[in-house]
C-alpha cells in the first residue's frame, strides 16, 4: 500500500507495474462535501480536511444518473450515490524529481451519464508512458447539475443551473492545493475532456472564476456553445417540475424528494428530447447570464478571457454516425435530407440556405452525398466541427488583440471497422488512442483489434507533449500553430498536416453564421 500526506489529509492507495513503470494509484478522493441533504442544488462546499488515513484503494461512486446500455465486456458496473460523488482519482509515477505536468480528465456523457471510474479512463498507462500525473473527476449530472432554480428558490440558488461547472472548478482548486504532494506541478495543469467533458472545458474558458486554475486545455469533440439563456433554462425547469408532479409554487420540494424520483422525471425529459432530436438530445446545459457565467462563453473568449491558456482542439470526421446508424428513421420515413435540413436549422442555418450546405458537401466529397451521408455530415458540422472552427476563429481574434495562448487544431479521420465501416471516424473513437487502451475490452467494439498502435502512440505522445510544454509537437511530429493558415493535423494511419481541411463547409457556415467583429 502507498501512503501520502497531503494538505487535505493522509491518503492510502495502491501501486502497480505498468509497462515497466511503477504507478501509484489513489481512487475516490473527495474534493468537496457531499452535494446531498442541505447541499442539494447548491454550489460545492470544500471538503473539510481529515486527520485519519483515507482509504483510496477503490473508486468512489458516480453522480446519480439513469442507466445506459449494458456495459461492454470487462467493464465494471457503474454505481452512483449523491453521497460522496464529488470525488477524483489520481495516477502518479511518484513524488521524486522535478514536478510533473498534471492532466485533469473531465468525462463526457451528454451531461447525463458517465463516471471517472469507467475503464476507458484508467490513467495508469498514460501516466506511465508520458510521465504525467493524471487526475479524473466526477461532477454532478442532469437535473442535479443543471436545473435552473434561480427564479423559483431565490437567494443561494442563483447558480444552480451551473453546478456541474462549479463542481469542476472546485476539483481544479483541490488539485491546485494538493497535487504537489502527488508529484504534480500546480502551475502546469491541463484540463482535457471529450464530448460533454470538452464542452465543459469550452464553457470553463468563458467563466471568470476559472482564470488561473489551468494553464492548458484540450477539447476533443467539444464546443464553447453548449449553453442556454435563463429563459430557456427556466422553460426546462418548468417542464421538469411538471414531470415531478409539482407546481412552481412547490419547487422547494425538489430539495427533499428522493433522488430516484428526480431521476425518473429526468428520464421522461430525456425521452421527450430524444423524440424531438435527430442528433444528440441535450436536455440539460449550462445557463449564461448568471453569476458564474455572465456572458456566452464564446463571446468572453473572443474578448480575451483566459487568452493566456494554450488550447488544442479538434473533432472526429464522422461525429454524427452513431446518431444515424443507431437511430434509423421509422419504417417508411427515410427522409434523410429533411432531417439534415432540420439539424442545420437547429444550428442557426436558415432553411433557404440548406441547399448551399448540400452543394458545399458535394464539393468536399467530390460527388453528391447520399441521404445518410448528408444527415451524418450535418450533425457533425452543426454540433461539433463548425462550433470548433468558431472557437478557433475566436481565439485567432483574441490573439490579434494581445492574447498570448497558443492554439492548435486536429481532425481525427481513422475509420472504425465496426458495422462494416459504417461508423467511420465516429464520436468517442479517439479516447482509447489518447489513454493507450486500444486493446481494452471497452474499445473492442470500435477498434476490432485493428487500430494502428503507431497512431495511438503518436496521439498519446502529442497530448502529453502539449501538457508539458504547450506544444503538441514531438520528435516524430512537427505540429505548427493554427494561425492564419488554419494549420490542422489530420490524425489517421499516415498523419499529415493540412491547411483548412474541408474549407468549403467552414466557408458555408461562416457566411450564414458570421462571428461578430470585436
Amino acid at each position: 500500500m502507498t501512503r501520502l500526506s497531503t494538505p487535505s489529509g493522509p491518503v492510502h492507495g495502491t501501486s502497480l507495474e505498468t509497462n515497466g513503470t511503477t504507478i501509484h494509484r489513489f481512487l475516490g478522493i473527495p474534493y468537496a462535501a457531499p452535494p446531498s441533504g442541505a447541499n442539494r442544488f447548491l454550489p460545492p462546499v470544500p471538503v473539510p480536511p481529515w486527520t485519519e488515513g483515507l482509504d483510496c484503494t477503490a473508486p468512489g461512486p458516480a453522480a446519480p444518473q439513469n442507466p445506459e446500455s449494458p456495459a461492454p465486456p470487462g467493464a465494471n458496473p457503474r454505481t452512483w450515490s449523491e453521497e460522496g460523488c464529488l470525488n477524483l482519482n489520481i495516477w502518479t509515477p511518484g513524488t521524486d524529481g522535478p514536478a510533473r505536468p498534471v492532466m485533469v480528465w473531465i468525462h463526457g456523457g451528454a451531461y447525463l451519464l458517465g463516471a471517472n471510474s469507467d475503464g476507458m479512463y484508467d490513467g495508469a498507462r498514460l501516466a506511465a508512458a508520458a510521465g504525467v500525473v493524471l487526475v479524473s473527476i466526477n461532477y454532478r449530472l442532469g437535473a442535479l447539475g443543471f436545473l435552473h432554480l434561480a427564479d423559483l428558490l431565490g437567494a443561494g440558488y442563483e447558480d444552480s443551473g451551473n453546478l456541474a461547472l462549479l463542481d469542476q472548478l472546485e476539483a481544479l482548486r483541490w488539485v491546485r492545493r494538493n497535487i504537489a504532494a502527488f508529484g504534480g506541478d500546480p502551475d502546469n495543469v491541463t484540463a482535457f475532456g471529450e464530448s460533454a467533458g470538452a464542452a465543459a472545458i469550452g464553457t470553463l474558458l468563458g467563466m471568470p472564476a476559472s482564470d488561473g486554475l489551468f494553464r492548458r486545455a484540450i477539447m476533443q469533440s467539444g464546443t464553447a456553445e453548449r449553453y442556454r439563456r435563463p429563459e430557456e433554462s427556466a422553460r426546462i425547469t418548468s417542464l421538469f417540475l411538471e414531470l415531478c408532479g409539482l407546481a412552481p409554487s412547490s419547487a422547494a420540494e425538489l430539495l427533499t424528494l428522493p433522488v430516484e424520483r428526480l431521476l425518473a422525471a429526468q428520464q421522461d425529459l430525456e425521452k421527450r428530447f430524444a423524440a424531438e432530436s435527430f442528433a444528440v438530445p441535450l436536455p440539460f446545459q449550462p445557463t449564461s447570464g448568471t453569476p458564474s457565467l455572465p456572458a456566452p462563453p464564446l463571446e468572453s473568449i473572443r474578448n480575451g478571457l483566459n487568452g493566456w491558456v494554450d488550447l488544442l482542439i479538434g473533432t472526429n470526421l464522422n461525429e454524427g454516425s452513431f446518431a444515424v446508424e443507431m437511430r434509423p428513421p421509422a419504417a417508411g420515413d427515410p427522409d434523410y435530407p429533411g432531417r439534415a435540413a432540420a439539424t442545420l436549422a437547429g444550428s442557426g442555418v436558415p432553411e433557404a440556405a440548406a441547399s448551399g450546405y448540400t452543394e458545399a458537401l458535394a464539393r468536399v466529397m467530390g460527388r453528391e452525398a447520399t441521404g445518410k451521408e448528408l444527415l451524418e455530415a450535418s450533425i457533425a458540422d452543426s454540433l461539433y466541427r463548425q462550433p470548433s472552427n468558431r472557437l478557433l476563429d475566436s481565439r485567432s481574434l483574441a490573439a490579434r488583440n494581445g492574447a498570448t495562448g497558443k492554439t492548435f487544431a486536429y481532425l481525427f479521420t481513422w475509420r472504425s471497422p465496426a458495422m462494416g465501416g459504417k461508423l467511420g471516424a465516429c464520436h468517442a473513437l479517439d479516447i482509447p488512442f489518447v489513454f493507450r487502451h486500444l486493446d481494452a475490452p471497452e474499445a473492442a467494439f470500435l477498434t476490432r483489434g485493428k487500430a494502428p498502435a503507431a497512431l495511438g502512440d503518436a496521439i498519446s505522445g502529442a497530448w502529453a507533449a502539449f501538457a508539458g510544454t504547450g506544444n503538441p509537437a514531438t520528435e516524430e511530429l512537427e505540429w505548427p500553430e493554427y494561425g492564419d493558415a488554419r494549420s490542422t493535423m489530420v490524425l489517421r494511419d499516415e498523419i499529415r498536416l493540412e491547411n483548412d481541411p474541408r474549407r468549403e463547409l467552414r466557408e458555408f457556415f461562416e457566411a450564414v453564421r458570421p462571428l461578430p467583429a470585436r
Side-chain angles (χ1 to χ4, degrees):
M1 179 169 297
T2 300
R3 184 181 190 277
L4 283 178
S5 293
T6 79
S8 289
V11 292
H12 297 290
T14 55
S15 299
L16 63 156
E17 289 294 316
T18 303
N19 296 332
T21 300
T22 299
I23 293 297
H24 308 283
R25 178 177 62 186
F26 302 87
L27 307 177
I29 303 175
Y31 67 80
S36 55
N39 290 335
R40 182 186 281 180
F41 295 118
L42 288 175
V45 178
V47 64
W50 56 86
T51 55
E52 299 296 321
L54 189 67
D55 184 354
C56 298
T57 59
Q65 57 194 270
N66 287 306
E68 57 178 330
S69 58
N76 294 321
R78 191 180 293 158
T79 59
W80 60 259
S81 172
E82 258 191 303
E83 289 289 328
C85 67
L86 299 186
N87 63 73
L88 52 81
N89 303 325
I90 299 176
W91 294 263
T92 177
T95 59
D96 58 312
R100 295 168 168 85
V102 181
M103 300 180 72
V104 179
W105 176 254
I106 302 178
H107 71 76
Y111 288 143
L112 296 169
L113 302 164
N116 62 2
S117 58
D118 288 0
M120 197 60 67
Y121 309 146
D122 185 291
R125 290 183 177 180
L126 181 53
V132 301
V133 177
L134 198 134
V135 182
S136 62
I137 69 173
N138 280 340
Y139 54 94
R140 277 174 280 188
L141 301 167
L144 291 166
F146 295 96
L147 198 62
H148 181 63
L149 296 168
D151 303 329
L152 297 173
L153 298 184
Y157 295 91
E158 297 90 346
D159 255 330
S160 66
N162 296 327
L163 295 177
L165 285 304
L166 298 181
D167 291 345
Q168 295 163 16
L169 290 173
E170 189 60 37
L172 288 163
R173 293 187 189 100
W174 190 96
V175 166
R176 185 161 188 82
R177 292 192 302 268
N178 290 273
I179 206 63
F182 297 87
D185 183 352
D187 293 320
N188 191 8
V189 174
T190 296
F192 73 128
E194 186 269 346
S195 194
I201 292 169
T203 307
L204 292 178
L205 286 169
M207 298 178 74
S210 72
D211 189 25
L213 291 179
F214 51 93
R215 179 68 185 83
R216 320 190 200 285
I218 303 174
M219 294 171 57
Q220 302 169 215
S221 304
T223 162
E225 299 177 23
R226 295 274 173 87
Y227 70 91
R228 287 197 173 94
R229 295 186 295 273
E231 58 271 22
E232 296 171 321
S233 293
R235 178 180 62 83
I236 300 297
T237 299
S238 178
L239 180 55
F240 185 80
L241 285 169
E242 178 185 321
L243 293 170
C244 286
L246 298 175
S249 59
S250 303
E253 293 186 33
L254 293 172
L255 306 179
T256 55
L257 282 181
V259 67
E260 291 80 6
R261 187 166 167 193
L262 298 180
L263 288 176
Q266 180 176 305
Q267 193 161 44
D268 290 339
L269 185 64
E270 292 171 32
K271 289 177 180 177
R272 291 199 186 188
F273 270 74
E276 297 172 1
S277 172
F278 301 126
V280 182
L282 296 167
F284 293 104
Q285 298 181 45
T287 303
S288 69
T290 50
S292 64
L293 189 62
L298 198 63
E299 178 182 318
S300 297
I301 293 167
R302 191 168 60 249
N303 289 332
L305 182 62
N306 278 310
W308 66 287
V309 172
D310 299 323
L311 177 65
L312 171 61
I313 180 171
T315 61
N316 297 354
L317 180 61
N318 305 110
E319 298 278 9
S321 60
F322 274 122
V324 175
E325 297 297 337
M326 302 299 194
R327 296 181 60 206
D333 182 28
D335 183 18
Y336 291 113
R339 296 171 75 185
T343 299
L344 292 167
S347 67
V349 176
E351 184 178 352
S355 61
Y357 177 81
T358 304
E359 294 164 3
L361 182 61
R363 290 195 295 273
V364 167
M365 298 181 66
R367 60 173 174 82
E368 185 176 341
T370 66
K372 268 191 176 183
E373 289 171 334
L374 176 62
L375 176 57
E376 189 280 317
S378 72
I379 294 170
D381 274 318
S382 296
L383 272 67
Y384 301 98
R385 183 71 188 161
Q386 302 311 324
S388 293
N389 282 335
R390 288 191 287 272
L391 176 53
L392 286 163
D393 288 342
S394 294
R395 290 273 300 188
S396 295
L397 180 59
R400 287 194 290 272
N401 287 283
T404 58
K406 298 185 291 292
T407 302
F408 302 86
Y410 74 88
L411 178 63
F412 180 91
T413 66
W414 184 79
R415 298 182 64 85
S416 166
M419 299 177 64
K422 291 181 179 179
L423 294 178
C426 59
H427 191 65
L429 180 57
D430 50 319
I431 295 174
F433 286 83
V434 170
F435 280 89
R436 308 179 75 90
H437 287 316
L438 293 176
D439 59 345
E442 296 92 336
F445 169 71
L446 292 178
T447 64
R448 292 293 194 265
K450 298 180 180 179
L455 179 58
D457 291 345
I459 293 174
S460 180
W463 266 227
F466 179 80
T469 68
N471 191 319
T474 63
E475 290 184 5
E476 298 79 20
L477 188 65
E478 184 179 348
W479 193 324
E481 290 187 55
Y482 182 71
D484 293 336
R486 302 181 187 274
S487 299
T488 302
M489 198 63 70
V490 179
L491 303 174
R492 48 182 293 174
D493 300 73
E494 294 183 3
I495 298 174
R496 68 172 185 264
L497 185 68
E498 289 188 21
N499 290 336
D500 203 6
R502 301 170 76 82
R503 172 183 54 81
E504 294 88 346
L505 294 171
R506 179 190 59 78
E507 290 179 341
F508 166 80
F509 271 86
E510 194 175 68
V512 298
R513 283 198 56 180
L515 281 175
R518 184 183 170 194

